[in-house]
Amino acid sequence: LRLYDLPNGIHKRSFKGHYGKINCVEFDNNSLGRRTQFVSGSEDKRVIVHDYRDSQPVMRLSGGHTDAVLCVQMDDWKVVSGSRDGTVIFWDLRKGHELWNIQERHPVSLCVINDHHLITAHVPSVKVLHDPNADTLYIRQRGLVRIYDFSVDPLFYTRKLPSICS
């Protein structure tokens, strides 16, 4: 990976850590506005957290995916990664290990998270159809978008019960 100062066109730094082709990079969406880190995912099945100020990795998150990492996102304390093996993994940046994961049936090509939702997208197959009579080529993709809602308060229903039920 290379960092450039775009207004000046100057190469600032090269980052090390991956052994395979890099598939995705996501910049820190730090709520404090100080963006000093970014995360990358690669064909080497690893997720690496980098700091703009140092060429060495801050943290290597590995062991969770069994195939290439296709998407990553990070915030103040977690990284979410999706892989060709169908796993979506939540990593804790404070401890440097996996919090939990979701297993999907198809490669995860998009993962987006905020405080209340996780959105994942999958493109399991691409079909190319050719009509020789019309000399036309059709491409059809079938996929799936999932939205997980974490905003539901599990205590909501118990608080709404009448006092006689408590």
Side-chain angles (χ1 to χ4, degrees):
L1 283 172
R2 294 182 179 166
L3 177 66
Y4 286 91
D5 179 352
L6 290 180
N8 299 320
I10 299 171
H11 174 253
K12 300 289 269 184
R13 182 165 285 116
S14 293
F15 299 93
K16 300 176 182 175
H18 285 294
Y19 298 111
K21 181 183 93 173
I22 296 169
N23 293 327
C24 49
V25 174
E26 173 72 25
F27 297 99
D28 181 7
N29 292 320
N30 189 321
S31 60
L32 302 175
R34 295 186 309 261
R35 294 191 165 120
T36 61
Q37 295 185 334
F38 66 96
V39 63
S40 59
S42 171
E43 290 288 326
D44 63 10
K45 309 171 195 164
R46 296 190 304 164
V47 176
I48 297 181
V49 179
H50 306 270
D51 190 302
Y52 297 125
R53 300 165 291 188
D54 188 7
S55 61
Q56 295 301 317
V58 173
M59 187 179 302
R60 288 181 173 94
L61 305 170
S62 59
H65 294 296
T66 60
D67 206 337
V69 177
L70 302 177
C71 57
V72 290
Q73 186 179 358
M74 74 182 304
D75 65 12
D76 295 342
W77 64 272
K78 68 183 168 300
V79 170
V80 179
S81 58
S83 174
R84 192 175 290 134
D85 64 12
T87 56
V88 177
I89 299 180
F90 287 74
W91 305 91
D92 187 335
L93 287 176
R94 299 166 298 190
K95 297 180 181 179
H97 64 78
E98 180 180 330
L99 287 171
W100 54 279
N101 67 63
I102 299 170
Q103 182 65 49
E104 301 287 355
R105 290 180 55 205
H106 302 290
V108 179
S109 52
L110 172 76
C111 54
V112 178
I113 191 160
N114 62 23
D115 291 338
H116 303 290
H117 299 91
L118 167 66
I119 301 171
T120 62
H122 321 276
V123 181
S125 63
V126 176
K127 292 191 178 189
V128 179
L129 306 171
H130 182 260
D131 183 354
N133 297 332
D135 208 18
T136 307
L137 184 69
Y138 301 95
I139 297 177
R140 181 175 68 187
Q141 294 183 336
R142 293 184 179 210
L144 181 65
V145 174
R146 292 185 193 265
I147 301 174
Y148 298 90
D149 186 355
F150 303 114
S151 64
V152 177
D153 181 358
L155 299 176
F156 174 78
Y157 298 103
T158 58
R159 285 194 298 240
K160 297 294 181 186
L161 292 174
S163 60
I164 193 167
C165 296
S166 302

